[in-house]
Structure formats: structure tokens, C-alpha cells
Amino acid sequence: MFKRLTLVPLLLLALLATGTAPAQALHRQPLRILLTNDDGYSSTYLHQLRQALQAAGHEVTVVAPAADASASGTMINARFGSTIEAAKRDDGWAVGGSPSDAVSFGTRVPFAGDLPDLVVSGPNPGENVAAAATYSGTVGAAITAVVAGVPAIALSVARDGSSVPSAARSIEFTVRLVNRLAATANGGPVLPARTALNVNYPVTPNGTVSIAHLGTSLPYGAGYTPAPEACALCYRIVPIADPGPDPVQDADRTLLAAGDVTITPLDGSWEAGSATATAIRSRLRSLAP
């Protein structure tokens, strides 16, 4: 079931309603999908999702980092004149760089002149919610797709300790989501312009899919402790968890912890809201160039 309906534009709600599109509609309108991740081309979850999407009738090309590039955000190699290594594989391309590098390469080489209908990034073992989404390579790949003019889905799955028990169910859900988007596109774009969906799948789903706000807290962060055994100037990076509640109402982090599948529409813009812009304009009105 869906909840938080007041947060959802009616068009997006119609696109994301639960259920599976008819097989005939999918056969007439399969999507051309660029599939990527931030865990590397050899990720088992990546290829399980590829197989599931292909079984649903979609055309899938993997363009993923050659190695693990987690927590790289939207980092991209824009050093003009430098080189990037990209190896052609049976099911796609392994790119020597970040997830954003992979998507940028994918839209300009394998899909040159004919962009894919959708970029899917993931599944990532570990949730990417609230402020953590800013640093996520999984989400970064989706944002890079949006900048290139391609709608995208970033999929992350909550961990239970060191395991990801709902990975298979998250893949099934993602196929249903993609199928619904394909069946309701009606010849138009898969999602509204400049839109990515940040999807997080819980450890134990409670039967609810929520359109959630992006939280502002950091569920986990980096701490630094002296590590003289490594080198005289070294500090070891250690995880710091923040179990506190997110201040945003209906935040993705809060709803995911309650067992909801959360979907947060993103547009890739870092621009502050109009009220902030108005306040800054007033304070700087007399500033001379």
C-alpha cells in the first residue's frame, strides 16, 4: 500500500502505483536501460538485477565501474587530456573510474546519439538515505544521468549487520517499478524531466511504499583517530553512527527504519529555496561589484 499521499504529485503517484504491467504492453514497449552501480562490474547484485530486467523484456546494457567505487558521490574525471580505461565485456562495459564516469561514458559511447530510456543504479548493499545520499556513488550515478537528460532510479537495500537479507525482494520490487514506468509512459519519457528516484528497500518490509522526503541528518559519518602504527601523521577513519531521529517530517531515513520502502524524487539541484534566496538578496542589495 501507499501512504503519505499528500506528498505525491498525482502523476507520479499514478506512475508508481503497485502492480505489474501487462506482459503485452511490456513486449510492445521494452525499455533500453543503462545499468550501473558503485560496487563494481563484478557485483553479484548488479547481474541479478540485469537478469531480472532482461527476463521482464527490457534491453539492458551494463556500464559500471571496473572496481568498487563506493562513497564517491558525483565525482567525475573532467581532467581534459587524461585517459580513462573502458573494457568491453559480454554484457556491457567495465569503466576504470567512478559511477559518474561510468554513466558519462555510457551515454557518450555505447549510447552515443541514442540515449537510453532509463538509467538504473544499484542495487547497493546498504541504505542511502538523508544526508548520506549526498556521498553515495549509487545516487551520484543517478544524478549524473539526470544531468545528461536521462531519468534514473537509484536502488539501495538496508543492511542487517553484515548481511542484506532483502536483496532478492528489492530486485523484484525494482522490476515491478520499472515495468509500471514502462507501461504508463504512453510514448513519453519514463519520468518527468530531470527526475531521479532514490529508492531504499528495508530489511523487513512492512507492506507499505512511501514517497518520502530526503532527510537532513547523517545516519553515519566518519571519525578520525590517531594511527601512529601506520605512520607518524596518520589518522584512521572509523565509522560513527547517529541513532537520533531525523528532524524532517516523513524523512526517508525514519520511514525506512519503520519498514517502509521509500521513494524520494530527486532533481539534482542544489539551489536553495525561494525564501532563502529572497533573504540573501535583501542582505546583499547594496553590495557593489
Side-chain angles (χ1 to χ4, degrees):
M1 63 176 286
F2 268 92
K3 67 180 180 180
R4 278 64 180 182
L5 301 186
T6 56
L7 303 179
V8 191
L10 292 180
L11 174 60
L12 188 57
L13 177 60
L15 291 175
L16 301 180
T18 55
T20 305
Q24 185 178 7
L26 286 176
H27 179 72
R28 289 198 307 267
Q29 296 180 338
L31 296 181
R32 297 166 59 251
I33 296 173
L34 188 163
L35 179 61
T36 192
N37 69 355
D38 71 355
D39 294 301
Y41 187 93
S42 61
S43 166
T44 299
Y45 298 130
L46 176 81
H47 291 283
Q48 288 175 349
L49 180 55
R50 172 185 59 80
Q51 292 168 359
L53 288 169
Q54 288 175 331
H58 303 292
E59 178 185 324
V60 182
T61 301
V62 175
V63 188
D68 187 352
S70 298
S72 54
T74 54
M75 180 180 69
I76 193 168
N77 184 353
R79 297 185 297 275
F80 302 127
S82 64
T83 61
I84 190 168
E85 184 174 321
K88 184 74 171 66
R89 304 286 179 87
D90 291 340
D91 301 307
W93 296 77
V95 178
S98 69
S100 290
D101 286 323
V103 171
S104 180
F105 177 87
T107 58
R108 288 168 172 80
V109 180
F111 288 95
D114 190 12
L115 291 174
D117 301 307
L118 181 69
V119 167
V120 178
S121 178
N124 184 72
E127 63 266 36
N128 284 302
V129 292
T134 303
Y135 307 109
S136 164
T138 303
V139 177
I143 296 303
T144 301
V146 167
V147 172
V150 184
I153 295 171
L155 170 64
S156 303
V157 192
R159 285 183 177 273
D160 183 10
S162 61
S163 66
V164 192
S166 58
R169 294 184 66 177
S170 75
I171 289 172
E172 294 170 358
F173 174 80
T174 302
V175 173
R176 290 197 300 273
L177 171 60
V178 171
N179 285 354
R180 177 52 59 97
L181 294 173
T184 56
N186 296 321
V190 176
L191 286 168
R194 294 191 63 83
T195 300
L197 303 180
N198 186 29
V199 179
N200 281 274
Y201 202 90
V203 171
T204 305
N206 63 13
T208 300
V209 177
S210 290
I211 304 300
H213 287 301
L214 191 66
T216 57
S217 62
L218 194 61
Y220 48 85
Y224 305 89
T225 61
E229 76 284 359
C231 76
L233 302 178
C234 287
Y235 285 76
R236 193 169 307 283
I237 303 172
V238 296
I240 296 178
D242 176 12
D246 195 285
V248 174
Q249 184 178 5
D250 292 329
D252 51 358
R253 177 185 176 189
T254 305
L255 298 178
L256 181 72
D260 293 15
V261 177
T262 64
I263 300 176
T264 304
L266 307 175
D267 65 5
S269 173
W270 287 15
E271 183 177 1
S274 59
T276 299
T278 298
I280 296 299
R281 184 181 298 110
S282 175
R283 294 174 61 187
L284 302 183
R285 182 173 291 117
S286 60
L287 185 65

